[in-house]
Amino acid sequence: MDSWRALADQQAGVLSWRQLAELGVSRGVIRHKLASERWRRRTESVLTTTTGPLSPEQERWVAVLHCGPDAMLGGLTALAVHGLTGWTRDEVTVIVANPDSFQHVDGIRPFRTRRPLERLRGPGALPCCRVEPAALLWAAHERNPRSAAGLLAAVVQQRLTNATSLLTWVDALRPLRRAADFRALLRDIEGGSESLGEVDVVRMCRAYGLALPARQRARTDRSGRRRYTDCEWDLPDGRTLVLEVDGAFHLEVGQYTEDVRRQRGLTRPDRIVVRATTDELRREPWVVAGDLVALGVPRAPDAAAG
């Protein structure tokens, strides 16, 4: 009767009826535990040895056990397990081979794939997709291409993987929607861009014939704090022009104050710091390019020759 305890400890107190049957726990024992309110049924095929609200870890275990023995966490859920921040969703995404093999449950989003599941699965007790296929499959099926690109930039920026590994998986997951777009994006990230805004700057420079910037240069501000700038150009007159790219979260009052302080601390007589928004770079890149040229950013060698 106690054969379930070790497994329950490993799975945050979540067990499936199938697992209990394999351990030899009778249905009578299970019904007694439920009737005495020591255990609680969470779905038709999953129960918990705790009766209170589910923790995030328990929610993930319930979802993956409900969807069958081969299922694994995928999409943003898997990436959150791997440490991704800033991309929270309430629903739990589970990669499955056959979404019709279990009952629908609110809050669980099955994602069907015909790819061999074992190739996608990462290490660990909690069945979870590897970072690279989790990110690429989510991005391939995300309706907003901008969000898709933003996620791939985020997993690299947050050091969950690198652009080279993602490029390898683009080929491994063939056929993959948006594969050509992903390759172009990841090559830009591989070249030094850490955010989608930096990628936008590089693409603007190519489109309007500007020299490509250095990205993520380490600088020390006047307070002695180490900073990494988004984009920099060494100008012909010996000065340096720094372009900081602001996403939507930079509009928050606290972040705006930090950005202003950062800009002031990095500015010196030989270093100019200016800013642009991701919205400008996306909607009016020619305006930003013109301002950069006016500030001294040189033309790309091939553009100057032409």
Side-chain angles (χ1 to χ4, degrees):
M1 291 177 59
D2 293 335
S3 58
W4 52 269
R5 293 187 185 277
L7 186 60
D9 289 342
Q10 186 181 28
Q11 297 181 173
V14 183
L15 298 165
S16 70
W17 284 77
R18 176 187 57 80
Q19 289 176 325
L20 289 167
E22 290 174 352
L23 289 170
V25 181
S26 71
R27 288 183 173 272
V29 169
I30 297 172
R31 284 194 291 267
H32 174 71
K33 296 279 190 182
L34 293 171
S36 61
E37 298 185 349
R38 297 177 188 177
W39 292 1
R40 182 172 174 183
R41 192 166 189 165
R42 302 294 179 169
T43 75
E44 65 169 0
S45 57
V46 179
L47 50 81
T48 60
T49 59
T50 60
T51 57
L54 294 175
S55 68
E57 182 183 10
Q58 286 179 313
E59 289 178 348
R60 293 163 182 162
W61 272 110
V62 168
V64 78
L65 290 177
H66 175 76
C67 294
D70 296 326
M72 73 186 80
L73 299 177
L76 298 181
T77 307
L79 294 173
V81 172
H82 289 297
L84 182 70
T85 60
W87 291 76
T88 304
R89 299 291 188 276
D90 291 334
E91 64 184 6
V92 178
T93 299
V94 183
I95 297 177
V96 298
N98 181 10
D100 297 325
S101 62
F102 51 85
Q103 186 181 54
H104 171 77
V105 173
D106 290 341
I108 299 176
R109 177 180 176 268
F111 175 87
R112 182 185 183 183
T113 182
R114 291 187 175 89
R115 298 172 175 88
L117 296 183
E118 282 304 316
R119 291 182 56 198
L120 310 180
R121 193 185 308 273
L126 179 61
C128 190
C129 187
R130 294 178 182 273
V131 168
E132 294 84 1
L136 287 166
L137 290 173
W138 185 90
H141 291 83
E142 164 59 23
R143 293 181 180 179
N144 187 332
R146 185 78 181 175
S147 296
L151 176 74
L152 298 184
V155 296
V156 175
Q157 184 182 39
Q158 296 185 28
R159 305 294 189 268
L160 303 186
T161 185
N162 55 58
T164 303
S165 295
L166 286 167
L167 281 166
T168 300
W169 273 95
V170 169
D171 293 332
L173 293 172
R174 187 180 301 171
L176 182 70
R177 294 180 61 205
R178 298 176 176 154
D181 293 339
F182 292 164
R183 288 191 186 96
L185 169 69
L186 291 167
R187 289 190 186 107
D188 284 335
I189 294 174
E190 200 173 34
S193 299
E194 289 217 348
S195 70
L196 196 54
E198 292 172 34
V199 170
D200 288 336
V201 172
V202 170
R203 291 179 175 178
M204 173 198 68
C205 290
R206 289 176 180 151
Y208 296 98
L210 276 62
L212 295 181
R215 283 152 280 170
Q216 294 298 309
R217 272 186 178 171
R219 296 291 187 183
T220 303
D221 65 16
R222 273 189 292 277
S223 68
R225 185 174 177 181
R226 193 173 183 83
R227 305 279 195 174
Y228 290 87
T229 58
D230 291 338
C231 300
E232 289 192 9
W233 291 266
D234 295 322
L235 305 182
D237 61 6
R239 296 176 302 157
T240 298
L241 178 66
V242 178
L243 176 65
E244 295 285 72
V245 183
D246 297 344
F249 78 97
H250 289 268
L251 300 178
E252 299 173 3
V253 174
Q255 185 61 46
Y256 178 76
T257 301
E258 169 62 22
D259 290 341
V260 170
R261 185 179 293 115
R262 171 190 170 96
Q263 178 175 351
R264 193 169 58 243
L266 287 171
T267 301
R268 301 188 327 191
D270 61 346
R271 186 189 302 146
I272 306 167
V273 182
V274 297
R275 292 160 68 183
T277 67
T278 54
D279 188 66
E280 286 181 286
L281 289 166
R282 187 167 66 254
R283 298 177 184 276
E284 299 179 321
W286 60 89
V287 175
V288 180
D291 290 341
L292 293 175
V293 170
L295 289 168
V297 171
R299 296 286 182 179
D302 53 347

